[in-house]
Amino acid sequence: MSDTPFDDLAVAVSSEEPLSHHTWLGVGGTAAYYCEPVDSAALAQVVRRCHERRIPLRVIGGGSNILVPATGFPGIVIRLSAPEFCAIEVHRPTITAGAGAKLVHLVSAAVQAGLAGLETLVGVPGTVGGALVGNAGGHGGDIGERVREVRIMLPTGEIEERGGDRLAFRSRWSNLDDGIVIGCRLELDEEHAAQLTKRMQKEWIVERSEQPSGTRSVAMMFKDPHGTTAESLVVQAGARDLRVGEATVYPAHANYVVAHPGCSSDDVRGLVEAVRGRVREKLGVELTPQIEMW
Ligand SMILES: Cc1cc2nc3c(=O)[nH]c(=O)nc-3n(C[C@H](O)[C@H](O)[C@H](O)COP(=O)(O)OP(=O)(O)OC[C@H]3O[C@@H](n4cnc5c(N)ncnc54)[C@H](O)[C@@H]3O)c2cc1C
């Protein structure tokens, strides 16, 4: 194995990890370094080292909202997969969740416990961390409305608990951009579990009807502008049939890009830009990308 700037730390760090294995689109290059720390002490060591040596650091959650370029990422990518980062605990009417937990597990745990307020997130892929950072949401609301406290690791390795007016969530946006989100505490409403389960099942059916099915190689292209949907604008602009290389618009749900076999990162980026350009040209609307280009 080649030397890495992390060799003297008691933390397993690998080199040249293909990020295509960790993203929904399955395209893009490698991370120079990659680590799944076993606990927060190990994470703090890596984070501090990056801070001291100015090594770029990114966290990857479920990889459902990331486009990795063909050149990859020149720093370290961290995934919070260890049990310490994935725990979910119910303390009625609040629930705490680690950032690495799957969002679907958090939603199910809340519903089973008879705690309402997260059902609307039922079809959103990814982790709790990804959902918090991007303030993921559905028709009925977003996760930010329920967050009371967030645990965040700063670049110095210190952990900070943030609540109240130190937390800001807006549509598909949060101010959690200065550290690694470790977990959160959410406040929910007591409701009968059976009733809640029925509501979640309904939400699930709606969500599934609005999302591509049968392929995982997809990503949401744009945020919905105020008062309308990105999907309707893509359709109105006649951009549904655009294709760049092996990237196409998902025909039945025009706000998603599909990466077909052989697709490259540049194909996806090119398609997103082509669709955005067509909507601008035909409708005079500037769409904001939802997918994050690394
Ligand atoms: C089929 C499909 C349907 C979707 N439907 C919806 C929807 O209904 N509503 C919606 O809002 N979104 C939707 N999305 C977009 C996406 O699922 C959400 O943005 C999701 O919350 C991303 O979570 P993730 O764990 O996959 O994050 P990733 O894609 O892994 O990461 C996204 C960003 O969050 C950062 N991040 C992740 N974890 C942490 C952490 N612990 N600390 C700091 N930064 C972190 C990453 O660095 C990156 O910047 C959909 C996507 C797909 C593919």
Coordinates of all heavy atoms in Angstrom, one line a residue, residues 122 200-210:
V122 N -40.7 9.7 3.3 CA -40.6 8.3 3.2 C -39.9 7.8 1.9 O -39.2 6.9 1.9 CB -42.0 7.6 3.3 CG1 -42.9 8.0 2.2 CG2 -41.9 6.1 3.4
M200 N -48.3 6.8 6.2 CA -47.0 6.6 5.6 C -47.1 5.8 4.3 O -46.5 6.1 3.3 CB -46.0 6.0 6.5 CG -44.7 5.9 5.9 SD -43.4 5.1 7.0 CE -43.9 3.4 6.9
Q201 N -48.0 4.8 4.4 CA -48.2 3.9 3.2 C -48.7 4.7 2.0 O -48.3 4.6 0.9 CB -49.1 2.7 3.5 CG -48.3 1.7 4.3 CD -49.3 0.7 4.9 OE1 -50.5 0.9 5.0 NE2 -48.7 -0.4 5.4
K202 N -49.6 5.7 2.3 CA -50.2 6.5 1.3 C -49.1 7.4 0.7 O -49.0 7.5 -0.5 CB -51.3 7.4 1.9 CG -52.7 7.0 1.6 CD -53.6 8.1 1.9 CE -55.0 7.5 2.1 NZ -55.8 8.4 3.0
E203 N -48.3 8.0 1.6 CA -47.2 8.9 1.1 C -46.2 8.1 0.2 O -45.7 8.6 -0.7 CB -46.4 9.4 2.3 CG -47.2 10.4 3.2 CD -47.0 11.8 2.8 OE1 -46.4 12.1 1.7 OE2 -47.7 12.7 3.4
W204 N -46.0 6.9 0.6 CA -45.1 6.0 -0.1 C -45.5 5.7 -1.5 O -44.8 5.8 -2.5 CB -44.9 4.7 0.7 CG -44.0 3.7 0.2 CD1 -44.3 2.4 -0.1 CD2 -42.6 3.8 -0.1 NE1 -43.2 1.7 -0.5 CE2 -42.2 2.6 -0.6 CE3 -41.7 4.9 -0.1 CZ2 -40.9 2.4 -1.0 CZ3 -40.4 4.7 -0.5 CH2 -40.0 3.4 -1.0
I205 N -46.9 5.5 -1.6 CA -47.4 5.2 -2.9 C -47.3 6.5 -3.8 O -46.9 6.4 -5.0 CB -48.9 4.8 -2.8 CG1 -49.0 3.4 -2.2 CG2 -49.6 4.8 -4.2 CD1 -50.3 3.0 -1.6
V206 N -47.6 7.7 -3.3 CA -47.5 8.9 -4.0 C -46.1 9.1 -4.4 O -45.8 9.4 -5.6 CB -48.0 10.1 -3.2 CG1 -47.7 11.4 -3.9 CG2 -49.5 10.0 -2.9
E207 N -45.2 9.0 -3.5 CA -43.8 9.2 -3.7 C -43.2 8.3 -4.8 O -42.5 8.7 -5.7 CB -43.0 9.0 -2.4 CG -41.6 9.5 -2.4 CD -41.5 11.0 -2.4 OE1 -42.3 11.7 -1.8 OE2 -40.5 11.5 -3.0
R208 N -43.6 7.0 -4.7 CA -43.1 6.1 -5.7 C -43.7 6.4 -7.1 O -43.0 6.2 -8.1 CB -43.5 4.6 -5.4 CG -42.5 4.1 -4.4 CD -42.7 2.7 -3.9 NE -43.2 1.8 -4.9 CZ -43.4 0.5 -4.7 NH1 -43.2 0.1 -3.5 NH2 -43.7 -0.3 -5.6
S209 N -44.9 6.9 -7.2 CA -45.5 7.2 -8.5 C -44.7 8.4 -9.1 O -44.8 8.7 -10.3 CB -47.0 7.5 -8.4 OG -47.1 8.8 -7.7
E210 N -44.1 9.2 -8.3 CA -43.4 10.4 -8.8 C -41.9 10.2 -9.0 O -41.2 11.2 -9.3 CB -43.6 11.6 -7.8 CG -45.1 12.0 -7.8 CD -45.4 13.1 -6.7 OE1 -44.4 13.4 -6.0 OE2 -46.5 13.5 -6.7

